[in-house]
Amino acid sequence: DTGVSQDPRHKITKRGQNVTFRCDPISEHNRLYWYRQTLGQGPEFLTYFQNEAQLEKSRLLSDRFSAERPKGSFSTLEIQRTEQGDSAMYLCASGYAESPLHFGNGTRLTVT
Amino acid sequence: SQQGEEDPQALSIQEGENATMNCSYKTSINNLQWYRQNSGRGLVHLILIRSNEREKHSGRLRVTLDTSKKSSSLLITASRAADTASYFCATARSGGSNYKLTFGKGTLLTVNP
Protein backbone atom coordinates (compact mmCIF):
# COMPACT_ATOMS: atom_id res chain seq x y z
CA ASP A 1 0.00 0.00 0.00
CA THR A 2 1.89 3.03 -1.27
CA GLY A 3 -1.01 5.38 -0.62
CA VAL A 4 -2.77 7.84 -2.89
CA SER A 5 -0.40 10.22 -4.64
CA GLN A 6 -1.25 13.52 -6.26
CA ASP A 7 0.79 15.65 -8.59
CA PRO A 8 1.68 18.46 -8.46
CA ARG A 9 1.49 19.45 -4.78
CA HIS A 10 1.24 23.11 -5.67
CA LYS A 11 0.23 24.92 -8.84
CA ILE A 12 0.22 28.66 -9.43
CA THR A 13 -1.39 29.79 -12.64
CA LYS A 14 -2.70 32.94 -14.22
CA ARG A 15 -6.38 33.48 -14.73
CA GLY A 16 -7.54 32.07 -18.05
CA GLN A 17 -4.93 29.31 -18.22
CA ASN A 18 -5.75 25.61 -18.23
CA VAL A 19 -4.43 23.30 -15.53
CA THR A 20 -4.38 19.53 -15.14
CA PHE A 21 -3.90 17.53 -11.97
CA ARG A 22 -3.10 13.84 -11.66
CA CYS A 23 -4.10 11.30 -9.05
CA ASP A 24 -2.70 7.80 -8.65
CA PRO A 25 -4.99 5.79 -6.36
CA ILE A 26 -4.17 2.70 -4.37
CA SER A 27 -3.90 0.01 -7.02
CA GLU A 28 -6.62 -2.37 -5.81
CA HIS A 29 -9.20 0.40 -5.26
CA ASN A 30 -11.94 0.59 -7.86
CA ARG A 31 -13.51 3.82 -6.61
CA LEU A 32 -11.89 7.21 -7.11
CA TYR A 33 -13.18 10.58 -5.92
CA TRP A 34 -12.25 14.20 -6.44
CA TYR A 35 -13.06 16.77 -3.77
CA ARG A 36 -12.36 20.49 -3.49
CA GLN A 37 -11.60 22.18 -0.21
CA THR A 38 -11.34 25.87 0.57
CA LEU A 39 -9.91 27.37 3.74
CA GLY A 40 -11.97 26.62 6.81
CA GLN A 41 -14.38 24.34 4.97
CA GLY A 42 -14.82 20.62 4.61
CA PRO A 43 -14.13 18.76 1.38
CA GLU A 44 -16.81 19.35 -1.25
CA PHE A 45 -17.64 16.51 -3.63
CA LEU A 46 -16.77 17.10 -7.28
CA THR A 47 -16.96 13.76 -9.08
CA TYR A 48 -16.66 10.02 -8.65
CA PHE A 49 -15.47 7.06 -10.73
CA GLN A 50 -16.07 3.37 -10.35
CA ASN A 51 -13.36 1.77 -12.43
CA GLU A 52 -13.28 3.86 -15.61
CA ALA A 53 -16.92 4.96 -15.46
CA GLN A 54 -17.70 8.44 -14.18
CA LEU A 55 -20.84 7.76 -12.15
CA GLU A 56 -21.61 11.15 -10.68
CA LYS A 57 -20.62 14.76 -11.19
CA SER A 58 -21.55 17.54 -8.82
CA ARG A 59 -24.10 20.03 -10.11
CA LEU A 60 -21.79 22.69 -8.72
CA LEU A 61 -19.13 21.71 -11.24
CA SER A 62 -19.10 23.98 -14.25
CA ASP A 63 -18.40 22.83 -17.78
CA ARG A 64 -14.85 24.13 -17.37
CA PHE A 65 -14.08 21.10 -15.20
CA SER A 66 -13.51 17.65 -16.68
CA ALA A 67 -12.18 14.47 -15.18
CA GLU A 68 -11.07 11.19 -16.69
CA ARG A 69 -9.95 7.83 -15.46
CA PRO A 70 -8.69 5.88 -18.45
CA LYS A 71 -8.51 2.11 -17.93
CA GLY A 72 -9.68 2.54 -14.37
CA SER A 73 -6.23 3.41 -13.08
CA PHE A 74 -4.94 6.97 -12.56
CA SER A 75 -7.22 9.95 -12.95
CA THR A 76 -6.81 13.49 -14.22
CA LEU A 77 -8.80 16.58 -13.37
CA GLU A 78 -8.60 19.45 -15.84
CA ILE A 79 -9.79 22.98 -15.27
CA GLN A 80 -10.08 25.14 -18.36
CA ARG A 81 -9.98 28.94 -18.38
CA THR A 82 -9.21 29.13 -14.68
CA GLU A 83 -10.82 31.80 -12.53
CA GLN A 84 -9.73 33.18 -9.17
CA GLY A 85 -12.63 31.38 -7.54
CA ASP A 86 -11.05 28.08 -8.56
CA SER A 87 -8.26 28.63 -6.02
CA ALA A 88 -8.55 25.76 -3.56
CA MET A 89 -7.06 22.46 -2.47
CA TYR A 90 -8.08 19.63 -4.80
CA LEU A 91 -8.16 16.30 -3.04
CA CYS A 92 -8.25 12.84 -4.55
CA ALA A 93 -9.41 9.80 -2.62
CA SER A 94 -9.79 6.13 -3.41
CA GLY A 95 -11.57 3.17 -1.88
CA TYR A 96 -13.26 -0.13 -2.62
CA ALA A 97 -16.79 -1.31 -1.90
CA GLU A 98 -17.99 0.76 1.06
CA SER A 99 -14.68 0.95 2.83
CA PRO A 100 -13.30 4.22 4.25
CA LEU A 101 -11.57 6.50 1.78
CA HIS A 102 -7.83 6.98 1.50
CA PHE A 103 -6.89 10.55 0.63
CA GLY A 104 -3.89 11.99 -1.11
CA ASN A 105 -2.21 15.13 0.22
CA GLY A 106 -3.91 17.25 -2.40
CA THR A 107 -2.93 19.77 -5.04
CA ARG A 108 -3.13 23.38 -3.91
CA LEU A 109 -4.16 25.62 -6.80
CA THR A 110 -3.61 29.37 -6.71
CA VAL A 111 -5.06 31.42 -9.57
CA THR A 112 -3.59 34.90 -9.83
CA SER B 1 -23.53 20.90 -0.46
CA GLN B 2 -22.40 19.70 2.94
CA GLN B 3 -24.68 17.51 4.99
CA GLY B 4 -22.82 17.24 8.25
CA GLU B 5 -22.44 20.16 10.61
CA GLU B 6 -19.83 19.89 13.31
CA ASP B 7 -20.04 21.64 16.62
CA PRO B 8 -18.11 23.45 17.91
CA GLN B 9 -16.28 25.05 14.98
CA ALA B 10 -13.19 25.42 17.14
CA LEU B 11 -12.12 23.87 20.43
CA SER B 12 -9.06 24.64 22.53
CA ILE B 13 -8.12 22.42 25.47
CA GLN B 14 -5.14 21.50 27.63
CA GLU B 15 -3.16 18.33 27.15
CA GLY B 16 -4.68 15.48 29.13
CA GLU B 17 -8.24 16.79 28.90
CA ASN B 18 -10.97 15.11 26.89
CA ALA B 19 -12.29 16.64 23.67
CA THR B 20 -15.83 16.14 22.44
CA MET B 21 -17.02 17.08 18.98
CA ASN B 22 -20.54 16.75 17.68
CA CYS B 23 -21.94 16.23 14.22
CA SER B 24 -25.49 16.61 12.97
CA TYR B 25 -26.77 15.49 9.59
CA LYS B 26 -29.98 15.71 7.62
CA THR B 27 -30.76 12.57 5.64
CA SER B 28 -30.78 8.85 6.32
CA ILE B 29 -27.35 7.25 6.21
CA ASN B 30 -25.63 3.94 5.67
CA ASN B 31 -22.70 4.82 7.89
CA LEU B 32 -20.95 7.81 9.44
CA GLN B 33 -17.21 8.28 9.48
CA TRP B 34 -14.79 10.60 11.24
CA TYR B 35 -11.64 11.89 9.59
CA ARG B 36 -8.74 13.96 10.79
CA GLN B 37 -6.76 16.50 8.77
CA ASN B 38 -3.47 18.11 9.70
CA SER B 39 -2.85 21.52 8.17
CA GLY B 40 -2.05 21.33 4.46
CA ARG B 41 -2.43 17.56 4.31
CA GLY B 42 -5.03 15.05 3.18
CA LEU B 43 -7.65 13.50 5.40
CA VAL B 44 -6.99 10.38 7.41
CA HIS B 45 -9.78 8.00 8.36
CA LEU B 46 -10.28 7.52 12.10
CA ILE B 47 -13.38 5.44 12.69
CA LEU B 48 -16.56 4.24 10.96
CA ILE B 49 -19.88 3.55 12.66
CA ARG B 50 -22.74 1.88 10.82
CA SER B 51 -26.33 3.02 11.04
CA ASN B 52 -27.30 -0.02 13.15
CA GLU B 53 -24.53 0.65 15.69
CA ARG B 54 -24.80 3.01 18.64
CA GLU B 55 -21.26 3.20 19.96
CA LYS B 56 -17.80 2.27 18.82
CA HIS B 57 -14.33 2.49 20.36
CA SER B 58 -10.87 2.64 18.85
CA GLY B 59 -7.97 3.35 21.18
CA ARG B 60 -8.59 6.79 22.73
CA LEU B 61 -11.53 7.44 20.40
CA ARG B 62 -15.16 6.84 21.23
CA VAL B 63 -17.92 7.50 18.70
CA THR B 64 -21.64 7.46 19.32
CA LEU B 65 -24.45 7.57 16.80
CA ASP B 66 -28.09 8.51 17.41
CA THR B 67 -30.00 7.98 14.19
CA SER B 68 -33.26 9.23 15.72
CA LYS B 69 -31.62 12.60 16.36
CA LYS B 70 -29.41 12.39 13.27
CA SER B 71 -26.34 13.14 15.33
CA SER B 72 -22.97 11.70 16.26
CA SER B 73 -20.23 12.59 18.69
CA LEU B 74 -16.50 11.95 18.73
CA LEU B 75 -14.73 11.81 22.07
CA ILE B 76 -10.95 11.91 22.27
CA THR B 77 -9.76 10.99 25.73
CA ALA B 78 -6.50 12.06 27.38
CA SER B 79 -5.68 14.43 24.52
CA ARG B 80 -2.14 15.06 23.36
CA ALA B 81 -0.57 18.01 21.56
CA ALA B 82 -0.26 15.73 18.52
CA ASP B 83 -4.07 15.51 18.37
CA THR B 84 -4.15 19.12 17.18
CA ALA B 85 -5.91 18.98 13.80
CA SER B 86 -9.24 19.51 12.09
CA TYR B 87 -11.81 16.78 12.55
CA PHE B 88 -14.57 16.10 10.04
CA CYS B 89 -17.60 13.88 10.09
CA ALA B 90 -18.71 12.36 6.81
CA THR B 91 -21.95 10.62 5.99
CA ALA B 92 -22.41 7.85 3.48
CA ARG B 93 -25.85 7.22 2.06
CA SER B 94 -27.22 3.89 0.93
CA GLY B 95 -24.99 1.47 -0.90
CA GLY B 96 -24.99 0.29 -4.45
CA SER B 97 -23.01 1.94 -7.19
CA ASN B 98 -23.64 5.46 -5.96
CA TYR B 99 -21.49 5.54 -2.83
CA LYS B 100 -19.97 8.84 -1.81
CA LEU B 101 -19.12 10.67 1.39
CA THR B 102 -20.51 14.08 2.22
CA PHE B 103 -18.37 16.04 4.68
CA GLY B 104 -19.19 18.65 7.26
CA LYS B 105 -17.26 21.87 7.81
CA GLY B 106 -15.14 20.42 10.60
CA THR B 107 -13.99 21.22 14.11
CA LEU B 108 -10.54 22.72 14.59
CA LEU B 109 -9.07 21.16 17.73
CA THR B 110 -6.09 22.77 19.43
CA VAL B 111 -4.45 20.87 22.27
CA ASN B 112 -2.13 23.07 24.28
CA PRO B 113 0.90 21.41 25.91
Side-chain angles (χ1 to χ4, degrees):
Chain A
D1 180 353
T2 57
V4 178
S5 63
Q6 292 188 244
D7 183 66
R9 285 299 313 277
H10 304 274
K11 178 71 177 178
I12 300 173
T13 191
K14 292 184 178 179
R15 188 176 55 185
Q17 297 294 304
N18 299 344
V19 294
T20 300
F21 309 141
R22 177 180 171 122
C23 171
D24 286 274
I26 293 172
S27 57
E28 59 266 30
H29 288 177
N30 62 341
R31 298 176 186 260
L32 187 147
Y33 302 78
W34 286 97
Y35 285 86
R36 177 172 63 190
Q37 186 179 27
T38 53
L39 196 63
Q41 300 293 313
E44 179 181 39
F45 173 78
L46 293 180
T47 191
Y48 152 55
F49 291 86
Q50 182 168 309
N51 299 312
E52 67 274 10
Q54 188 173 18
L55 295 187
E56 187 174 342
K57 188 175 176 181
S58 169
R59 288 170 290 179
L60 302 175
L61 217 56
S62 77
D63 291 341
R64 297 184 297 106
F65 288 72
S66 63
E68 294 182 344
R69 192 185 182 196
K71 302 178 183 178
S73 56
F74 70 93
S75 177
T76 58
L77 177 67
E78 180 183 17
I79 308 174
Q80 296 181 328
R81 305 180 303 282
T82 53
E83 301 172 356
Q84 287 188 321
D86 297 332
S87 295
M89 174 79 89
Y90 290 83
L91 294 165
C92 176
S94 69
Y96 63 90
E98 297 182 357
S99 66
L101 296 186
H102 293 250
F103 280 82
N105 282 325
T107 293
R108 181 166 296 283
L109 173 66
T110 302
V111 182
T112 62
Chain B
S1 63
Q2 297 182 299
Q3 166 160 239
E5 289 290 337
E6 286 89 343
D7 172 56
Q9 289 186 332
L11 179 61
S12 181
I13 59 174
Q14 295 299 122
E15 208 165 23
E17 294 180 341
N18 295 340
T20 299
M21 290 160 267
N22 302 297
C23 168
S24 60
Y25 57 93
K26 297 174 184 174
T27 63
S28 61
I29 62 171
N30 176 281
N31 65 65
L32 185 144
Q33 302 176 34
W34 286 89
Y35 287 77
R36 162 199 171 121
Q37 184 179 36
N38 287 79
S39 181
R41 305 296 295 270
L43 283 77
V44 175
H45 176 258
L46 295 176
I47 194 165
L48 179 153
I49 186 165
R50 301 191 186 285
S51 59
N52 61 353
E53 297 176 312
R54 292 296 167 259
E55 187 170 314
K56 205 160 183 181
H57 297 255
S58 176
R60 294 185 295 113
L61 305 180
R62 173 178 170 255
V63 169
T64 61
L65 179 64
D66 186 336
T67 53
S68 66
K69 295 181 179 178
K70 291 186 168 58
S71 67
S72 173
S73 68
L74 171 67
L75 168 68
I76 304 174
T77 60
S79 64
R80 305 165 182 169
D83 294 329
T84 295
S86 291
Y87 291 82
F88 297 91
C89 70
T91 53
R93 293 171 71 172
S94 296
S97 62
N98 184 14
Y99 180 79
K100 72 179 186 187
L101 294 185
T102 304
F103 287 84
K105 294 183 179 181
T107 292
L108 176 60
L109 173 66
T110 302
V111 181
N112 301 299

